[in-house]
Amino acid sequence: KNEVEQSPQNLTAQEGEFITINCSYSVGISALHWLQQHPGGGIVSLFMLSSGKKKHGRLIATINIQEKHSSLHITASHPRDSAVYICAVKVQGAQKLVFGQGTRLTINP
Amino acid sequence: KAGVTQTPRYLIKTRGQQVTLSCSPISGHRSVSWYQQTPGQGLQFLFEYFSETQRNKGNFPGRFSGRQFSNSRSEMNVSTLELGDSALYLCASSLGGAEIEAFFGQGTRLTVV
């Protein structure tokens, strides 16, 4: 079983829909990252969380440390949000990130 | 402030050759981590350097090595290339603490033929 599991693996939605991507992890962490990867490969860090909730524009990320679960929400989704979203955790006591398998999001106009 | 710069962006090598990839971190960042991304395995941690010292290493064979210079720039080297080494290699830099945000480069896409 992977240490970081994301769901769903693929998600297709219509423009304007509310999107939720989930991440569950099984290890102790010091932080959790949500990353966005567009075709071509470059990765952009969207959020880094160690507790609670963060909001940036139409993106919201939450984390529940007790339940070892995080969600990424996109409100009023747009075709330009189409990308792969990756959850990554910084393992407690180790200087490395462990990644989920990614969620491929497609927003149709 | 310049972002993380990886060179080259694309590379084609032949089996058995060796390759060196470069990563220049954001100014002031002392930690550089390297990751390999393949369609089958996803993103996997290779190693992390902080102040010229390797602090952590992933589960990769000894053909994969790296180093960090005094200006925090880092290189990774892969010797005796195999077809399976074809991947996107990403580096990320950070200030280096446990909860410090990491910033990723655009990656180097290596194709081994």
Side-chain angles (χ1 to χ4, degrees):
Chain A
K1 192 178 188 298
N2 293 334
E3 291 172 307
V4 182
E5 296 277 356
Q6 281 184 241
S7 62
Q9 288 194 342
N10 293 282
L11 180 57
T12 300
Q14 291 300 120
E15 184 173 356
E17 286 189 37
F18 181 81
I19 303 298
T20 296
I21 299 170
N22 296 299
C23 175
S24 296
Y25 53 92
S26 57
V27 294
I29 69 169
S30 57
L32 181 144
H33 297 253
W34 280 103
L35 310 170
Q36 181 192 56
Q37 186 173 33
H38 281 283
I43 287 182
V44 174
S45 178
L46 298 173
F47 295 102
M48 187 187 71
L49 295 160
S50 52
S51 64
K53 177 179 174 178
K54 285 190 176 180
K55 184 175 190 294
H56 181 69
R58 295 180 295 105
L59 302 177
I60 303 165
T62 63
I63 188 168
N64 185 317
I65 297 294
Q66 286 73 30
E67 294 186 4
K68 295 190 173 181
H69 181 268
S70 176
S71 293
L72 175 69
H73 305 286
I74 305 175
T75 62
S77 59
H78 190 276
R80 65 175 174 264
D81 298 326
S82 298
V84 176
Y85 292 83
I86 302 168
C87 169
V89 300
K90 192 137 196 182
V91 179
Q92 226 164 25
Q95 296 296 331
K96 68 174 186 178
L97 290 174
V98 177
F99 299 85
Q101 72 272 43
T103 296
R104 185 173 299 276
L105 174 66
T106 304
I107 304 295
N108 293 319
Chain B
K1 198 175 193 182
V4 179
T5 303
Q6 290 188 247
T7 57
R9 290 291 311 279
Y10 303 93
L11 205 48
I12 300 175
K13 289 285 190 178
T14 305
R15 270 181 302 175
Q17 286 186 312
Q18 67 94 27
V19 67
T20 299
L21 312 182
S22 178
C23 174
S24 294
I26 290 172
S27 178
H29 285 191
R30 295 166 68 188
S31 170
V32 174
S33 300
W34 287 90
Y35 303 90
Q36 182 197 62
Q37 186 178 37
T38 58
Q41 297 296 320
L43 273 158
Q44 293 184 287
F45 171 76
L46 279 157
F47 26 66
E48 189 253 356
Y49 287 87
F50 181 83
S51 292
E52 301 179 68
T53 300
Q54 187 182 88
R55 289 200 296 192
N56 212 342
K57 191 177 193 303
N59 190 24
F60 278 82
R63 300 184 298 106
F64 291 81
S65 63
R67 60 178 175 167
Q68 187 179 33
F69 302 96
S70 57
N71 62 357
S72 293
R73 190 178 70 86
S74 178
E75 289 181 347
M76 68 162 281
N77 185 77
V78 188
S79 62
T80 320
L81 283 165
E82 300 176 0
L83 295 179
D85 298 332
S86 296
L88 180 68
Y89 290 88
L90 289 152
C91 82
S93 79
S94 73
L95 289 169
E99 295 187 25
I100 300 299
E101 189 170 3
F103 296 84
F104 285 81
Q106 291 293 305
T108 294
R109 188 166 296 280
L110 172 66
T111 303
V112 182
V113 297

